[in-house]
């Protein structure tokens, strides 16, 4: 059996786990496999589970295989020879009670932590501590809220307003927010926010424009914060969504303006 | 004589009170109001009653018109579907609580007011819904002022105060007179015109919650932009108590206006 090169990556929300993994994969020659434990599931399961990081990495990193959690056992039995495996652990996963399959027992453990972090459970757990980015004040009662939006198409101007409000405290203290949204012109956009970091705009995911009805691919949002007004957040997102008629109208407009060579889903 | 001009109170009674006290402190002789007495804010009736009690000459704003005529602003005047939905919530709420005599009062407001060489409108002389942004083309701006025949055009509606002098309206023509070999240059200079935007009393969008208005002194020909602090938390609390969307309170406290402006603010719906 080929030996597996597995790296487990853990750390608080917003410290830069996914970014670090992306850097490792991009700088390595070998193929890579990515698995996310704890942020729900994978793009194959997008109707039920929130899969922002896997969707982002699958769209942005060439040669990366995103592995659905339910295929983990199969994969470990018949691993891809010579590929690096990165397993990202959600911040809310309890490291002490985490039970890993035997094949993963001697993997490398990496903690991505904000600068100056000391004496955390991550330090005891990790083989290697990577200095990530500042995540702002540590919340005493971090709360995770997420919602799957697959099939929804948002008005971009509304989404920008909502994102500004969300990340400036209109719905509670937000430490970390990320999302993938389908917008009216068919693009899939990745929004990413960490307290204290310079305001980043969204990234256009390397996916074909979806111009035929409601998108059959993952979109969703994940927010980590304190005293989150979940109902208001959900309601505002709902108010950013377009109805079938508007979706059809905008998609037709884009189709009419595209060149024949443009990639469309 | 000092003339105070205010606009866009939007049902914010606390802000109106603070501005009226400030106008008193500044010893203004006259007060004009450029409309948008109601809409978004929690006290539309109280605001109108105060304006009426003080007999402040007022022209009709876009929100005042919409409350009388039914929602007239087309969706193209909203920058996003979210802003449109919020605007509709505000409209429906205001429409429900407004007293019949307040509605009657709003209905009979004039579209413009004149005082000597001064003209007062809500948006522009053409329409209550037109935004005269500070960066609007100089010729368009000049046309709007000339349309009134006044020297100073006071407007509101954008919620950001500004003073713009239109001394760039200098036209030059070359005439070649018969019998003379050299062309003659003739310059015409339109007399100095100004556009003064009074900002917003109750719904500022300059990044602070403070109310803004302007004072014009016609003896010194000086225009002063006033920014007045008030207890905006009271208005925020009233917004929530009255069942208006809590995000309105948050936006007010940040000086963000309740709904952002349209992408093309000069667009006027032809409907
Ligand atoms: Zn207004
Ligand atoms: Zn207006």
């Amino acid at each position: 059996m080929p030996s597996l090169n597995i790296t487990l990556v853990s750390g608080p929300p917003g410290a830069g786990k996914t970014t670090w993994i992306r850097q490792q994969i991009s700088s390595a020659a070998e193929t890579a496999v990515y698995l996310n434990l704890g942020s729900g599931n994978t793009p194959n399961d997008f109707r039920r589970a929130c899969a922002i990081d896997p969707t982002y990495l699958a769209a942005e990193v060439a040669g990366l295989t995103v592995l659905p959690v339910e295929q983990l056992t199969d994969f470990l039995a018949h691993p891809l020879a010579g590929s690096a495996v990165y397993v990202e652990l959600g911040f809310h996963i309890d490291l002490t009670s985490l039970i890993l399959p035997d094949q993963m027992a001697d993997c490398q453990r990496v903690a991505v932590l904000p600068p100056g972090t000391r004496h955390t459970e991550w330090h005891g757990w990790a083989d290697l501590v990577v200095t990530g980015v500042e995540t702002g004040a540590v919340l005493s009662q971090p709360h995770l809220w997420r919602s799957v939006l697959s099939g929804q198409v948002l008005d971009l101007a509304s989404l920008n307003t909502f994102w500004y409000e969300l990340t400036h405290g209109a719905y509670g203290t937000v430490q970390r927010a990320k999302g993938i949204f389908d917008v009216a012109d068919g693009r899939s956009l990745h929004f990413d926010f960490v307290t204290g970091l310079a305001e980043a705009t969204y990234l256009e995911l390397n996916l074909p424009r979806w111009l035929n009805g409601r998108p059959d691919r993952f979109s969703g949002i994940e927010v980590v914060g304190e005293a989150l007004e979940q109902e208001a957040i959900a309601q505002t997102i709902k108010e950013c969504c377009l109805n079938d008629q508007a979706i059809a109208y905008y998609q037709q407009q884009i189709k009419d303006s595209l060149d024949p060579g443009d990639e469309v889903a | 004589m000092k003339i105070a001009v205010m606009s866009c109170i939007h049902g914010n009674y606390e802000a109106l009170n603070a501005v009226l006290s400030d106008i008193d402190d500044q010893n203004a002789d006259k007060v004009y109001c450029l409309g948008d007495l109601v809409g978004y804010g929690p006290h539309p009736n109280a605001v109108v009653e105060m304006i009426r009690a003080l007999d402040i000459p007022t022209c009709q704003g876009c929100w005042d018109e919409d409350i009388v005529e039914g929602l007239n602003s087309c969706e193209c005047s909203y920058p996003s579907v979210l802003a449109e939905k919020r605007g509709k919530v505000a409209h429906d709420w205001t429409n429900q609580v407004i007293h019949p005599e307040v509605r009657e009062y709003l209905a009979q407001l004039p579209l413009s007011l004149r005082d000597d060489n001064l003209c007062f409108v809500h948006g522009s002389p053409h329409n209550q819904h037109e935004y005269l942004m500070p960066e609007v083309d100089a010729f368009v701006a000049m046309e709007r002022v000339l349309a009134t025949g006044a020297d100073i055009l006071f407007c509101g509606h954008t919620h950001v105060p500004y003073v713009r002098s239109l001394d760039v309206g200098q036209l030059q023509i070359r005439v070649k007179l018969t019998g003379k070999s050299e062309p003659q240059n003739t310059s015409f200079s339109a007399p100095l015109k100004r556009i003064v935007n009074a900002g917003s009393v109750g719904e500022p969008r300059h990044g602070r919650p403070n109310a803004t208005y302007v004072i014009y002194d016609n003896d010194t020909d000086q225009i002063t932009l006033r920014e007045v602090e008030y207890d905006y938390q009271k208005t925020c609390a009233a917004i929530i108590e009255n069942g208006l969307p809590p995000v309105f309170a948050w936006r007010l406290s940040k000086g963000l206006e309740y709904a952002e402006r349209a992408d093309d603010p000069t667009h006027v719906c032809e409907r």
Side-chain angles (χ1 to χ4, degrees):
Chain A
M1 185 191 273
S3 73
L4 272 173
N5 170 14
I6 298 179
T7 307
L8 287 187
V9 185
S10 185
K17 297 186 287 291
T18 310
T19 307
W20 183 80
I21 292 173
R22 189 183 170 179
Q23 285 162 357
Q24 302 307 303
I25 297 172
S26 316
S27 61
E30 62 211 333
T31 57
V33 174
Y34 171 83
L35 175 75
N36 192 311
L37 288 180
S39 86
N41 268 308
T42 59
N44 299 346
D45 198 16
F46 62 81
R47 275 169 214 292
R48 283 179 287 125
C50 209
I52 294 166
D53 294 339
T55 305
Y56 162 73
L57 286 172
E60 292 304 301
V61 183
L64 173 76
T65 306
V66 174
L67 192 70
V69 175
E70 61 269 22
Q71 288 172 25
L72 177 62
T73 318
D74 270 4
F75 173 80
L76 290 172
H78 315 281
L80 278 167
S83 56
V85 181
Y86 291 90
V87 181
E88 181 174 339
L89 305 174
F91 74 92
H92 49 291
I93 287 183
D94 178 18
L95 298 173
T96 49
S97 62
L98 181 68
I99 299 168
L100 292 168
D102 289 347
Q103 294 96 321
M104 291 169 74
D106 58 348
C107 59
Q108 196 194 23
R109 295 155 197 254
V110 174
V112 181
L113 303 176
T117 317
R118 254 175 271 170
H119 312 301
T120 66
E121 59 167 327
W122 283 293
H123 287 87
W125 172 85
D127 305 316
L128 171 69
V129 171
V130 172
T131 304
V133 295
E134 199 60 68
T135 56
V138 176
L139 303 177
S140 54
Q141 297 270 299
H143 184 86
L144 170 70
W145 179 84
R146 53 164 72 125
S147 177
V148 176
L149 299 169
S150 301
Q152 295 295 346
V153 177
L154 282 78
D155 166 53
L156 182 54
S158 302
L159 175 57
N160 280 326
T161 299
F162 161 69
W163 196 258
Y164 182 90
E165 290 173 353
L166 177 73
T167 56
H168 286 79
Y171 308 102
T173 309
V174 171
Q175 182 185 34
R176 179 89 171 99
K178 53 189 170 183
I180 289 176
F181 305 98
D182 274 302
V183 293
D185 63 11
R187 291 179 301 162
S188 177
L189 305 180
H190 181 254
F191 280 69
D192 198 350
F193 167 82
V194 182
T195 313
L197 284 193
E199 222 143 303
T201 49
Y202 53 79
L203 172 92
E204 191 179 326
L205 288 183
N206 187 21
L207 293 171
R209 280 179 193 259
W210 196 288
L211 296 176
N212 286 305
R214 293 188 174 274
D216 191 19
R217 64 186 176 196
F218 172 79
S219 61
I221 179 172
E222 191 173 303
V223 183
V224 179
E226 240 167 7
L228 295 178
E229 287 163 37
Q230 307 180 17
E231 252 171 69
I233 298 174
Q235 177 63 27
T236 308
I237 294 173
K238 208 172 133 194
E239 287 171 355
C240 296
C241 291
L242 298 171
N243 60 27
D244 287 330
Q245 201 188 350
I247 293 170
Y249 172 78
Y250 288 119
Q251 289 180 344
Q252 192 55 49
Q253 271 197 331
I254 298 293
K255 277 186 202 163
D256 292 346
S257 69
L258 284 182
D259 293 331
D262 288 328
E263 199 189 351
V264 161
Chain B
M1 184 170 62
K2 279 179 162 182
I3 300 167
V5 186
M6 60 179 172
S7 185
C8 296
I9 302 157
H10 288 284
N12 189 337
Y13 187 72
E14 299 301 327
L16 175 61
N17 256 331
V19 163
L20 290 172
S21 313
D22 193 72
I23 288 173
D24 255 3
D25 296 346
Q26 299 296 312
N27 297 312
D29 305 284
K30 272 188 188 175
V31 186
Y32 285 93
C33 177
L34 309 179
D36 273 4
L37 305 181
V38 304
Y40 290 111
H43 299 126
N45 291 313
V47 163
V48 170
E49 277 152 25
M50 175 69 98
I51 294 285
R52 292 184 73 178
L54 297 173
D55 227 353
I56 296 174
T58 299
C59 41
Q60 192 184 54
C62 58
W63 272 84
D64 309 324
E65 185 200 18
D66 286 352
I67 284 301
V68 175
E69 301 286 331
L71 210 51
N72 180 42
S73 38
C74 68
E75 59 209 78
C76 52
S77 72
Y78 283 103
S80 68
V81 298
L82 180 62
E84 187 186 352
K85 282 171 187 161
R86 287 177 176 171
K88 207 173 169 312
V89 168
H91 178 90
D92 292 346
W93 183 88
T94 308
N95 201 29
Q96 232 168 43
V97 301
I98 205 119
H99 299 155
E101 68 275 16
V102 167
R103 201 188 300 273
E104 275 164 39
Y105 169 79
L106 296 176
Q108 55 77 49
L109 289 173
L111 294 181
S112 69
L113 293 162
R114 276 301 289 264
D115 185 338
D116 195 24
N117 66 333
L118 314 177
C119 180
F120 306 90
V121 300
H122 177 68
S124 95
H126 295 342
N127 192 302
Q128 297 112 298
H129 293 267
E130 185 180 52
Y131 292 89
L132 280 185
M133 304 299 289
E135 62 274 11
V136 75
D137 181 85
F139 285 97
V140 174
M142 184 58 109
E143 188 278 326
R144 298 297 189 269
V145 186
L146 292 176
T148 66
D151 292 326
I152 305 180
L153 174 64
F154 289 91
C155 61
H157 189 48
T158 70
H159 292 209
V160 182
Y162 69 86
V163 178
R164 185 172 180 189
S165 295
L166 295 162
D167 43 6
V168 288
Q170 205 182 51
L171 311 169
Q172 204 178 60
I173 53 166
R174 267 165 91 91
V175 219
K176 199 171 179 201
L177 298 173
T178 40
K180 285 194 180 175
S181 54
E182 286 300 302
Q184 304 276 298
N185 285 327
T186 313
S187 300
F188 297 93
S189 212
L192 182 85
K193 304 283 182 186
R194 268 170 294 180
I195 296 179
V196 178
N197 191 301
S200 172
V201 170
E203 195 196 345
R205 57 168 296 133
H206 48 74
R208 294 177 297 280
N210 305 340
T212 57
Y213 76 100
V214 298
I215 290 179
Y216 174 60
D217 187 330
N218 63 3
D219 298 323
T220 60
D221 197 30
Q222 209 172 40
I223 294 157
T224 315
L225 300 178
R226 301 279 311 161
E227 183 171 331
V228 183
E229 285 184 29
Y230 73 100
D231 190 355
Y232 64 86
Q233 302 282 14
K234 269 194 186 167
T235 305
C236 290
I239 284 172
I240 291 163
E241 270 166 37
N242 281 282
L244 283 157
V247 74
F248 286 6
W250 183 82
R251 293 191 71 95
L252 181 69
S253 72
K254 301 281 171 190
L256 281 174
E257 193 170 359
Y258 300 112
E260 334 77 275
R261 227 179 1 241
D263 286 343
D264 173 15
T266 51
H267 169 88
V268 174
C269 182
E270 302 294 334
R271 206 164 66 192

